[in-house]
Amino acid sequence: MAGLQIRNVGIIGGGAWGLTLANLLSDNGLNVLVWDRNLQRVKTLKEQHLDPERLPGIVLNKGIDFTNNLAELSGFDIHILAVKSEAVGEMTEKLKDLDIKILISAIKGFVGNGIKTITEHLKENLKGVEIFALGGPSIALEVCKKIPTSVVLAGENENIMEEIQKKFSNDYFRVYRNTDIIGVEFAGALKNIIAIAAGICDGLGLGENSKGALLTRGIYEMARFGIKFGARMETFFGLAGLGDVITTSFSKNSRNRYVGEMLGKGYTIEEILKGMVMGAEGVRTAFLVREEADKLGIEMPITEGVCRVIEGKNKPNEIIYKLMTRELKREFYV
């Protein structure tokens, strides 16, 4: 796509991250139309440009437009998919009716009931569309507040990535490129599990020694799993892996960390999720990953521990004891 022009952007999904990207790209002078399935929500966004539940204190740019009619997004220069991972299958069928040239997945999770990345699914179902993935440490509220943030765009076409990189970047949002799209997507999905584990540490009142060790071992656990599917080790120690793990595991705005903290304090998963406006991808992801790891014989003690706490089979302090008294081994192993 030589001479690619990016002026009009269609964003599919009006959640916190979709709205944040809309605000960013509007800041950068692009025309942005956001689709959301909820008609009342679209009306409120059109009239007020506010979402106090998801983005408290943020007034969205007046130039952003909103619609409940997905067909209105057809023919835009680029599209961004920003829905929940469990809605990707349904949305993909609807996207087949649109004129889409370039599609960026802004989702961190897996599709369906197995370990299939978002871009893998999109490539299988949307023929002739250039597919990319956006990852890295990016708390939506912080981006809206224009707090300096760096992310990574992954894909196969370097020329298109360079153009997208230019259009997305500004003085508070910096985009890097990476051709390891598998690694970026696996890192984005797996880090949510580690964030839940980090939250459990917080809920138990453990110290920095504990959390530092957990995150380090967690990143390595993520990498050992990801490379089995073709990801590159280095990606897990970049923005999509290490960067996102640190941010998600410490941020008070992280939903996955919050879930873990409440688990650490003794609440059940049903009690926790009932009180949340937005869900936490890590809960679903943990069980998908555990099942696949069992099939492949990949040892993932942190993921197993998170699942057992969510299931109520072990109390958090029992899992800590199990992790600390495992068989001693070398720091790095396959």
Side-chain angles (χ1 to χ4, degrees):
M1 293 185 181
L4 173 66
Q5 297 294 318
I6 301 176
R7 297 189 183 92
N8 303 307
V9 182
I11 297 182
I12 302 143
W17 190 222
L19 293 179
T20 297
L21 291 172
N23 209 49
L24 164 76
L25 296 174
S26 181
D27 273 355
N28 289 358
L30 301 181
N31 302 315
V32 183
L33 177 61
V34 178
W35 172 87
D36 192 271
R37 71 171 70 239
N38 188 313
L39 181 57
Q40 184 54 52
R41 179 167 162 72
V42 168
K43 288 180 179 178
T44 301
L45 287 167
K46 272 179 171 287
E47 293 169 1
Q48 303 178 13
H49 279 73
L50 298 173
D51 187 345
E53 280 192 319
R54 295 170 178 81
L55 297 172
I58 300 299
V59 179
L60 299 168
N61 290 341
K62 301 300 182 184
I64 303 170
D65 202 0
F66 303 90
T67 183
N68 182 243
N69 182 4
L70 190 61
E72 291 184 21
L73 272 70
S74 190
F76 279 42
D77 298 322
I78 64 171
H79 292 80
I80 300 172
L81 186 60
V83 298
K84 294 179 180 179
S85 62
E86 55 260 43
V88 170
E90 173 195 349
M91 285 308 307
T92 303
E93 290 304 308
K94 295 179 180 180
L95 294 181
K96 290 179 180 179
D97 296 328
L98 301 186
D99 175 14
I100 298 178
K101 305 174 187 69
I102 297 170
L103 181 60
I104 302 170
S105 167
I107 307 164
K108 296 172 181 177
F110 295 113
V111 180
N113 297 318
I115 304 301
K116 175 177 282 190
T117 65
I118 307 295
T119 61
E120 182 183 4
H121 172 82
L122 294 174
K123 287 177 181 178
E124 288 177 359
N125 289 277
L126 300 176
K127 303 301 182 182
V129 179
E130 294 277 2
I131 308 291
F132 301 89
L134 189 67
S138 45
I139 299 296
L141 188 60
E142 292 189 12
V143 177
C144 283
K145 290 179 177 179
K146 302 185 179 182
I147 295 173
T149 300
S150 291
V151 299
V152 58
L153 178 71
E156 298 171 355
N157 191 315
E158 284 269 18
N159 292 330
I160 294 179
M161 282 201 289
E162 286 181 11
E163 292 303 316
I164 296 173
Q165 187 179 31
K166 292 173 187 175
K167 292 296 184 180
F168 276 57
S169 296
N170 58 27
D171 61 356
Y172 68 87
F173 196 81
R174 182 175 175 84
V175 182
Y176 288 85
R177 302 189 308 276
N178 190 332
T179 56
D180 180 18
I181 192 167
I182 296 173
V184 167
E185 286 203 273
F186 265 77
L190 297 172
K191 60 88 184 177
N192 288 326
I193 305 171
I194 306 307
I196 293 175
I200 290 173
C201 285
D202 293 340
L204 289 172
L206 301 181
E208 305 306 331
N209 287 353
S210 305
K211 202 165 182 180
L214 171 76
L215 300 190
T216 304
R217 297 309 304 167
I219 292 166
Y220 188 57
E221 180 168 303
M222 290 164 51
R224 286 193 297 105
F225 187 77
I227 60 177
K228 296 291 186 180
F229 293 84
R232 297 200 296 259
M233 174 71 79
E234 65 195 48
T235 300
F236 293 92
F237 295 91
L239 286 166
L242 176 62
D244 212 355
V245 166
I246 292 172
T247 298
T248 312
S249 297
F250 280 95
S251 173
K252 296 299 181 182
N253 293 312
S254 164
R255 301 189 298 275
N256 290 286
R257 192 211 62 81
Y258 171 80
V259 167
E261 182 178 7
M262 294 299 102
L263 287 169
K265 289 180 177 180
Y267 292 90
T268 67
I269 192 64
E270 291 77 17
E271 291 170 333
I272 298 165
L273 296 180
K274 185 178 180 181
M276 295 178 68
V277 175
M278 296 177 282
E281 291 274 8
V283 175
R284 172 176 171 270
T285 302
F287 290 99
L288 292 177
V289 170
R290 179 175 71 170
E291 182 178 354
E292 192 68 18
D294 287 344
K295 290 179 185 176
L296 298 175
I298 304 172
E299 189 179 23
M300 301 190 71
I302 297 173
T303 299
E304 175 63 29
V306 167
C307 289
R308 293 187 70 83
V309 171
I310 292 173
E311 292 169 325
K313 292 182 177 178
N314 284 105
K315 293 181 178 179
N317 57 358
E318 293 174 341
I319 293 300
I320 298 298
Y321 179 81
K322 285 177 177 287
L323 290 171
M324 293 301 295
T325 57
R326 293 171 61 237
E327 177 188 355
L328 300 175
K329 55 187 64 189
R330 296 174 60 188
E331 182 177 12
F332 301 110
Y333 62 94
V334 178

Short mmCIF file of all heavy atoms in Angstrom, two decimals, residues 68-122:
data_model
loop_
_atom_site.label_atom_id
_atom_site.label_comp_id
_atom_site.label_asym_id
_atom_site.label_seq_id
_atom_site.Cartn_x
_atom_site.Cartn_y
_atom_site.Cartn_z
N ASN A 68 -24.40 3.70 16.40
CA ASN A 68 -24.86 2.37 16.76
C ASN A 68 -25.02 1.51 15.50
O ASN A 68 -25.32 0.34 15.57
CB ASN A 68 -26.21 2.47 17.50
CG ASN A 68 -26.75 1.14 17.96
OD1 ASN A 68 -27.80 0.71 17.52
ND2 ASN A 68 -26.02 0.47 18.83
N ASN A 69 -24.74 2.12 14.35
CA ASN A 69 -24.89 1.45 13.05
C ASN A 69 -23.51 1.08 12.51
O ASN A 69 -22.78 1.94 12.02
CB ASN A 69 -25.61 2.36 12.07
CG ASN A 69 -25.84 1.71 10.71
OD1 ASN A 69 -25.50 0.54 10.51
ND2 ASN A 69 -26.39 2.47 9.78
N LEU A 70 -23.16 -0.18 12.58
CA LEU A 70 -21.82 -0.63 12.20
C LEU A 70 -21.52 -0.34 10.73
O LEU A 70 -20.37 -0.07 10.36
CB LEU A 70 -21.67 -2.13 12.48
CG LEU A 70 -20.28 -2.72 12.37
CD1 LEU A 70 -19.33 -2.08 13.37
CD2 LEU A 70 -20.32 -4.23 12.60
N ALA A 71 -22.53 -0.35 9.88
CA ALA A 71 -22.34 -0.13 8.45
C ALA A 71 -21.72 1.23 8.15
O ALA A 71 -21.07 1.43 7.12
CB ALA A 71 -23.66 -0.28 7.71
N GLU A 72 -21.90 2.19 9.05
CA GLU A 72 -21.36 3.53 8.86
C GLU A 72 -19.83 3.55 8.91
O GLU A 72 -19.21 4.52 8.48
CB GLU A 72 -21.92 4.49 9.91
CG GLU A 72 -23.40 4.79 9.73
CD GLU A 72 -23.90 5.82 10.73
OE1 GLU A 72 -23.07 6.59 11.27
OE2 GLU A 72 -25.12 5.87 10.96
N LEU A 73 -19.22 2.47 9.41
CA LEU A 73 -17.76 2.42 9.50
C LEU A 73 -17.11 1.84 8.25
O LEU A 73 -15.89 1.75 8.16
CB LEU A 73 -17.33 1.58 10.71
CG LEU A 73 -17.18 2.34 12.05
CD1 LEU A 73 -18.55 2.77 12.55
CD2 LEU A 73 -16.48 1.49 13.10
N SER A 74 -17.90 1.45 7.29
CA SER A 74 -17.36 0.83 6.08
C SER A 74 -16.56 1.83 5.25
O SER A 74 -16.94 2.99 5.11
CB SER A 74 -18.50 0.27 5.23
OG SER A 74 -18.00 -0.53 4.18
N GLY A 75 -15.40 1.37 4.72
CA GLY A 75 -14.62 2.18 3.80
C GLY A 75 -13.63 3.13 4.45
O GLY A 75 -13.01 3.94 3.75
N PHE A 76 -13.44 3.07 5.76
CA PHE A 76 -12.49 3.95 6.44
C PHE A 76 -11.06 3.52 6.11
O PHE A 76 -10.80 2.40 5.68
CB PHE A 76 -12.73 3.92 7.94
CG PHE A 76 -13.86 4.80 8.40
CD1 PHE A 76 -15.06 4.86 7.70
CD2 PHE A 76 -13.73 5.58 9.54
CE1 PHE A 76 -16.10 5.66 8.10
CE2 PHE A 76 -14.77 6.39 9.97
CZ PHE A 76 -15.97 6.44 9.25
N ASP A 77 -10.11 4.43 6.32
CA ASP A 77 -8.71 4.14 6.00
C ASP A 77 -8.16 3.02 6.87
O ASP A 77 -7.45 2.13 6.38
CB ASP A 77 -7.85 5.41 6.17
CG ASP A 77 -8.29 6.52 5.23
OD1 ASP A 77 -8.64 6.21 4.08
OD2 ASP A 77 -8.28 7.68 5.66
N ILE A 78 -8.44 3.09 8.16
CA ILE A 78 -8.06 2.00 9.07
C ILE A 78 -9.19 1.76 10.06
O ILE A 78 -10.00 2.65 10.31
CB ILE A 78 -6.74 2.27 9.85
CG1 ILE A 78 -6.89 3.47 10.78
CG2 ILE A 78 -5.57 2.44 8.91
CD1 ILE A 78 -5.71 3.65 11.71
N HIS A 79 -9.22 0.56 10.61
CA HIS A 79 -10.20 0.21 11.64
C HIS A 79 -9.46 -0.34 12.85
O HIS A 79 -8.42 -1.00 12.70
CB HIS A 79 -11.20 -0.82 11.12
CG HIS A 79 -12.11 -0.31 10.07
ND1 HIS A 79 -11.73 -0.19 8.74
CD2 HIS A 79 -13.41 0.12 10.13
CE1 HIS A 79 -12.74 0.30 8.04
NE2 HIS A 79 -13.76 0.49 8.84
N ILE A 80 -10.01 -0.11 14.02
CA ILE A 80 -9.45 -0.63 15.26
C ILE A 80 -10.52 -1.45 15.96
O ILE A 80 -11.64 -0.97 16.18
CB ILE A 80 -8.97 0.51 16.19
CG1 ILE A 80 -7.89 1.35 15.51
CG2 ILE A 80 -8.46 -0.06 17.51
CD1 ILE A 80 -7.51 2.60 16.27
N LEU A 81 -10.18 -2.68 16.31
CA LEU A 81 -11.11 -3.57 17.01
C LEU A 81 -10.79 -3.52 18.50
O LEU A 81 -9.69 -3.90 18.92
CB LEU A 81 -10.98 -5.00 16.48
CG LEU A 81 -11.98 -6.02 17.00
CD1 LEU A 81 -13.42 -5.61 16.67
CD2 LEU A 81 -11.69 -7.40 16.44
N ALA A 82 -11.75 -3.03 19.30
CA ALA A 82 -11.51 -2.85 20.73
C ALA A 82 -12.69 -3.36 21.54
O ALA A 82 -13.26 -2.64 22.37
CB ALA A 82 -11.25 -1.37 21.03
N VAL A 83 -13.06 -4.62 21.31
CA VAL A 83 -14.14 -5.25 22.07
C VAL A 83 -13.54 -6.29 23.02
O VAL A 83 -12.34 -6.56 22.98
CB VAL A 83 -15.16 -5.92 21.11
CG1 VAL A 83 -15.80 -4.88 20.21
CG2 VAL A 83 -14.50 -7.02 20.28
N LYS A 84 -14.36 -6.89 23.85
CA LYS A 84 -13.89 -7.96 24.72
C LYS A 84 -13.49 -9.16 23.88
O LYS A 84 -14.08 -9.41 22.83
CB LYS A 84 -14.98 -8.36 25.71
CG LYS A 84 -15.35 -7.27 26.71
CD LYS A 84 -16.45 -7.76 27.63
CE LYS A 84 -16.84 -6.69 28.64
NZ LYS A 84 -17.94 -7.14 29.53
N SER A 85 -12.53 -9.94 24.36
CA SER A 85 -12.06 -11.08 23.58
C SER A 85 -13.17 -12.08 23.30
O SER A 85 -13.21 -12.69 22.23
CB SER A 85 -10.88 -11.77 24.29
OG SER A 85 -11.28 -12.28 25.55
N GLU A 86 -14.10 -12.26 24.25
CA GLU A 86 -15.17 -13.23 24.04
C GLU A 86 -16.17 -12.78 22.98
O GLU A 86 -16.98 -13.57 22.51
CB GLU A 86 -15.90 -13.56 25.35
CG GLU A 86 -16.45 -12.37 26.08
CD GLU A 86 -15.55 -11.93 27.22
OE1 GLU A 86 -14.33 -11.90 27.04
OE2 GLU A 86 -16.09 -11.63 28.30
N ALA A 87 -16.12 -11.50 22.59
CA ALA A 87 -17.04 -10.99 21.56
C ALA A 87 -16.42 -10.98 20.16
O ALA A 87 -17.08 -10.64 19.19
CB ALA A 87 -17.47 -9.57 21.93
N VAL A 88 -15.15 -11.39 20.05
CA VAL A 88 -14.45 -11.30 18.77
C VAL A 88 -15.09 -12.18 17.70
O VAL A 88 -15.25 -11.77 16.55
CB VAL A 88 -12.96 -11.67 18.94
CG1 VAL A 88 -12.28 -11.82 17.58
CG2 VAL A 88 -12.25 -10.60 19.75
N GLY A 89 -15.47 -13.40 18.06
CA GLY A 89 -16.08 -14.30 17.09
C GLY A 89 -17.34 -13.71 16.47
O GLY A 89 -17.51 -13.69 15.25
N GLU A 90 -18.20 -13.20 17.32
CA GLU A 90 -19.45 -12.58 16.86
C GLU A 90 -19.17 -11.36 16.00
O GLU A 90 -19.77 -11.17 14.93
CB GLU A 90 -20.29 -12.18 18.08
CG GLU A 90 -21.54 -11.38 17.74
CD GLU A 90 -22.15 -10.70 18.95
OE1 GLU A 90 -21.73 -11.01 20.09
OE2 GLU A 90 -23.03 -9.83 18.75
N MET A 91 -18.23 -10.52 16.42
CA MET A 91 -17.94 -9.28 15.70
C MET A 91 -17.31 -9.58 14.34
O MET A 91 -17.56 -8.87 13.36
CB MET A 91 -17.02 -8.39 16.51
CG MET A 91 -17.69 -7.67 17.68
SD MET A 91 -19.17 -6.75 17.21
CE MET A 91 -18.56 -5.73 15.86
N THR A 92 -16.49 -10.61 14.28
CA THR A 92 -15.82 -10.93 13.02
C THR A 92 -16.83 -11.21 11.91
O THR A 92 -16.65 -10.79 10.76
CB THR A 92 -14.89 -12.15 13.19
OG1 THR A 92 -13.95 -11.88 14.23
CG2 THR A 92 -14.12 -12.43 11.91
N GLU A 93 -17.89 -11.91 12.25
CA GLU A 93 -18.94 -12.21 11.25
C GLU A 93 -19.56 -10.92 10.73
O GLU A 93 -19.84 -10.78 9.54
CB GLU A 93 -20.01 -13.11 11.87
CG GLU A 93 -19.55 -14.53 12.14
CD GLU A 93 -19.01 -15.20 10.89
OE1 GLU A 93 -19.72 -15.21 9.86
OE2 GLU A 93 -17.87 -15.71 10.93
N LYS A 94 -19.74 -9.95 11.61
CA LYS A 94 -20.32 -8.67 11.20
C LYS A 94 -19.34 -7.85 10.38
O LYS A 94 -19.74 -7.10 9.48
CB LYS A 94 -20.76 -7.89 12.45
CG LYS A 94 -21.88 -8.57 13.23
CD LYS A 94 -22.26 -7.76 14.46
CE LYS A 94 -23.39 -8.45 15.22
NZ LYS A 94 -23.79 -7.71 16.43
N LEU A 95 -18.06 -7.97 10.67
CA LEU A 95 -17.05 -7.21 9.95
C LEU A 95 -16.91 -7.66 8.50
O LEU A 95 -16.42 -6.90 7.66
CB LEU A 95 -15.70 -7.32 10.66
CG LEU A 95 -15.61 -6.69 12.06
CD1 LEU A 95 -14.21 -6.87 12.62
CD2 LEU A 95 -15.99 -5.23 12.04
N LYS A 96 -17.33 -8.87 8.21
CA LYS A 96 -17.25 -9.38 6.84
C LYS A 96 -18.07 -8.55 5.86
O LYS A 96 -17.80 -8.54 4.66
CB LYS A 96 -17.71 -10.84 6.79
CG LYS A 96 -16.76 -11.81 7.47
CD LYS A 96 -17.30 -13.24 7.41
CE LYS A 96 -16.36 -14.22 8.08
NZ LYS A 96 -16.87 -15.61 8.05
N ASP A 97 -19.06 -7.83 6.38
CA ASP A 97 -19.92 -7.01 5.52
C ASP A 97 -19.36 -5.61 5.29
O ASP A 97 -19.94 -4.83 4.54
CB ASP A 97 -21.32 -6.89 6.15
CG ASP A 97 -22.03 -8.23 6.24
OD1 ASP A 97 -21.80 -9.08 5.35
OD2 ASP A 97 -22.80 -8.45 7.19
N LEU A 98 -18.24 -5.29 5.94
CA LEU A 98 -17.66 -3.94 5.82
C LEU A 98 -16.48 -3.93 4.85
O LEU A 98 -15.83 -4.96 4.64
CB LEU A 98 -17.18 -3.44 7.19
CG LEU A 98 -18.19 -3.32 8.32
CD1 LEU A 98 -17.54 -2.66 9.52
CD2 LEU A 98 -19.44 -2.58 7.90
N ASP A 99 -16.23 -2.77 4.28
CA ASP A 99 -15.03 -2.56 3.47
C ASP A 99 -13.90 -2.20 4.42
O ASP A 99 -13.82 -1.07 4.91
CB ASP A 99 -15.29 -1.43 2.47
CG ASP A 99 -14.04 -1.07 1.67
OD1 ASP A 99 -13.06 -1.84 1.70
OD2 ASP A 99 -14.03 0.02 1.05
N ILE A 100 -13.03 -3.17 4.71
CA ILE A 100 -11.92 -2.97 5.65
C ILE A 100 -10.61 -3.29 4.94
O ILE A 100 -10.46 -4.37 4.36
CB ILE A 100 -12.07 -3.87 6.89
CG1 ILE A 100 -13.34 -3.53 7.65
CG2 ILE A 100 -10.85 -3.74 7.81
CD1 ILE A 100 -13.59 -4.40 8.87
N LYS A 101 -9.68 -2.37 4.99
CA LYS A 101 -8.37 -2.57 4.37
C LYS A 101 -7.31 -2.90 5.42
O LYS A 101 -6.48 -3.80 5.21
CB LYS A 101 -7.95 -1.31 3.61
CG LYS A 101 -8.96 -0.83 2.56
CD LYS A 101 -8.52 0.50 1.97
CE LYS A 101 -9.59 1.07 1.05
NZ LYS A 101 -10.79 1.49 1.81
N ILE A 102 -7.33 -2.16 6.50
CA ILE A 102 -6.34 -2.33 7.58
C ILE A 102 -7.10 -2.43 8.90
O ILE A 102 -7.93 -1.57 9.21
CB ILE A 102 -5.38 -1.13 7.63
CG1 ILE A 102 -4.57 -1.04 6.33
CG2 ILE A 102 -4.43 -1.24 8.82
CD1 ILE A 102 -3.78 0.24 6.19
N LEU A 103 -6.80 -3.47 9.68
CA LEU A 103 -7.48 -3.68 10.96
C LEU A 103 -6.45 -3.91 12.06
O LEU A 103 -5.59 -4.77 11.96
CB LEU A 103 -8.42 -4.89 10.86
CG LEU A 103 -9.24 -5.23 12.11
CD1 LEU A 103 -10.14 -4.08 12.51
CD2 LEU A 103 -10.07 -6.50 11.88
N ILE A 104 -6.57 -3.10 13.10
CA ILE A 104 -5.67 -3.21 14.25
C ILE A 104 -6.45 -3.80 15.43
O ILE A 104 -7.48 -3.25 15.83
CB ILE A 104 -5.10 -1.84 14.66
CG1 ILE A 104 -4.35 -1.21 13.49
CG2 ILE A 104 -4.19 -1.98 15.88
CD1 ILE A 104 -3.97 0.25 13.73
N SER A 105 -5.97 -4.90 15.97
CA SER A 105 -6.57 -5.46 17.18
C SER A 105 -5.97 -4.75 18.39
O SER A 105 -4.76 -4.73 18.58
CB SER A 105 -6.30 -6.97 17.28
OG SER A 105 -6.63 -7.43 18.58
N ALA A 106 -6.85 -4.18 19.22
CA ALA A 106 -6.41 -3.54 20.46
C ALA A 106 -6.88 -4.37 21.65
O ALA A 106 -7.16 -3.84 22.72
CB ALA A 106 -6.98 -2.12 20.53
N ILE A 107 -6.96 -5.68 21.45
CA ILE A 107 -7.50 -6.61 22.44
C ILE A 107 -6.39 -7.50 23.00
O ILE A 107 -5.54 -7.97 22.24
CB ILE A 107 -8.59 -7.50 21.81
CG1 ILE A 107 -9.65 -6.64 21.12
CG2 ILE A 107 -9.22 -8.42 22.85
CD1 ILE A 107 -10.51 -7.42 20.16
N LYS A 108 -6.40 -7.73 24.30
CA LYS A 108 -5.41 -8.59 24.93
C LYS A 108 -6.11 -9.82 25.49
O LYS A 108 -6.68 -9.80 26.57
CB LYS A 108 -4.68 -7.83 26.04
CG LYS A 108 -3.87 -6.64 25.51
CD LYS A 108 -3.30 -5.79 26.62
CE LYS A 108 -2.52 -4.60 26.05
NZ LYS A 108 -2.00 -3.69 27.10
N GLY A 109 -6.11 -10.88 24.69
CA GLY A 109 -6.78 -12.10 25.10
C GLY A 109 -6.76 -13.11 23.97
O GLY A 109 -6.12 -12.89 22.94
N PHE A 110 -7.46 -14.23 24.16
CA PHE A 110 -7.55 -15.28 23.16
C PHE A 110 -8.99 -15.42 22.69
O PHE A 110 -9.93 -15.05 23.38
CB PHE A 110 -7.05 -16.61 23.72
CG PHE A 110 -5.59 -16.62 24.08
CD1 PHE A 110 -5.18 -16.73 25.40
CD2 PHE A 110 -4.62 -16.50 23.10
CE1 PHE A 110 -3.84 -16.74 25.74
CE2 PHE A 110 -3.27 -16.51 23.42
CZ PHE A 110 -2.87 -16.62 24.74
N VAL A 111 -9.15 -15.99 21.49
CA VAL A 111 -10.48 -16.17 20.90
C VAL A 111 -11.00 -17.57 21.18
O VAL A 111 -10.25 -18.55 21.10
CB VAL A 111 -10.42 -15.96 19.37
CG1 VAL A 111 -11.81 -16.14 18.76
CG2 VAL A 111 -9.90 -14.58 19.04
N GLY A 112 -12.28 -17.67 21.50
CA GLY A 112 -12.91 -18.98 21.66
C GLY A 112 -12.46 -19.71 22.91
O GLY A 112 -12.04 -19.10 23.90
N ASN A 113 -12.51 -21.04 22.83
CA ASN A 113 -12.21 -21.87 24.00
C ASN A 113 -10.82 -22.50 23.93
O ASN A 113 -10.58 -23.55 24.54
CB ASN A 113 -13.27 -22.95 24.14
CG ASN A 113 -14.65 -22.37 24.40
OD1 ASN A 113 -14.79 -21.44 25.19
ND2 ASN A 113 -15.66 -22.90 23.73
N GLY A 114 -9.93 -21.90 23.17
CA GLY A 114 -8.58 -22.43 23.07
C GLY A 114 -7.57 -21.30 22.97
O GLY A 114 -7.88 -20.14 23.20
N ILE A 115 -6.34 -21.66 22.63
CA ILE A 115 -5.26 -20.68 22.53
C ILE A 115 -5.12 -20.25 21.07
O ILE A 115 -4.27 -20.75 20.32
CB ILE A 115 -3.93 -21.27 23.07
CG1 ILE A 115 -4.12 -21.76 24.50
CG2 ILE A 115 -2.84 -20.22 23.01
CD1 ILE A 115 -4.56 -20.70 25.49
N LYS A 116 -6.00 -19.36 20.66
CA LYS A 116 -5.92 -18.77 19.33
C LYS A 116 -5.87 -17.26 19.49
O LYS A 116 -6.72 -16.67 20.16
CB LYS A 116 -7.13 -19.17 18.47
CG LYS A 116 -7.14 -18.48 17.09
CD LYS A 116 -8.30 -18.94 16.22
CE LYS A 116 -8.01 -20.32 15.63
NZ LYS A 116 -9.00 -20.69 14.58
N THR A 117 -4.86 -16.63 18.88
CA THR A 117 -4.73 -15.19 19.02
C THR A 117 -5.80 -14.46 18.21
O THR A 117 -6.37 -15.01 17.28
CB THR A 117 -3.34 -14.70 18.56
OG1 THR A 117 -3.20 -14.94 17.15
CG2 THR A 117 -2.23 -15.41 19.33
N ILE A 118 -6.02 -13.22 18.57
CA ILE A 118 -7.02 -12.41 17.88
C ILE A 118 -6.65 -12.26 16.41
O ILE A 118 -7.49 -12.45 15.52
CB ILE A 118 -7.13 -11.01 18.52
CG1 ILE A 118 -7.36 -11.10 20.04
CG2 ILE A 118 -8.24 -10.21 17.84
CD1 ILE A 118 -8.64 -11.71 20.46
N THR A 119 -5.39 -11.95 16.13
CA THR A 119 -5.00 -11.72 14.74
C THR A 119 -5.05 -13.00 13.91
O THR A 119 -5.38 -12.97 12.74
CB THR A 119 -3.59 -11.10 14.63
OG1 THR A 119 -2.62 -12.00 15.20
CG2 THR A 119 -3.53 -9.76 15.35
N GLU A 120 -4.74 -14.13 14.54
CA GLU A 120 -4.84 -15.41 13.84
C GLU A 120 -6.28 -15.65 13.40
O GLU A 120 -6.55 -16.04 12.26
CB GLU A 120 -4.37 -16.55 14.75
CG GLU A 120 -4.38 -17.92 14.10
CD GLU A 120 -3.97 -19.02 15.06
OE1 GLU A 120 -3.75 -18.74 16.26
OE2 GLU A 120 -3.88 -20.17 14.60
N HIS A 121 -7.20 -15.39 14.30
CA HIS A 121 -8.62 -15.56 14.00
C HIS A 121 -9.06 -14.59 12.90
O HIS A 121 -9.78 -14.97 11.96
CB HIS A 121 -9.45 -15.32 15.26
CG HIS A 121 -10.92 -15.28 15.03
ND1 HIS A 121 -11.70 -16.41 14.92
CD2 HIS A 121 -11.77 -14.21 14.86
CE1 HIS A 121 -12.96 -16.06 14.70
NE2 HIS A 121 -13.03 -14.73 14.66
N LEU A 122 -8.63 -13.34 13.00
CA LEU A 122 -9.03 -12.34 12.02
C LEU A 122 -8.48 -12.66 10.63
O LEU A 122 -9.18 -12.51 9.62
CB LEU A 122 -8.55 -10.95 12.46
CG LEU A 122 -9.19 -10.39 13.74
CD1 LEU A 122 -8.53 -9.08 14.13
CD2 LEU A 122 -10.70 -10.20 13.56
#
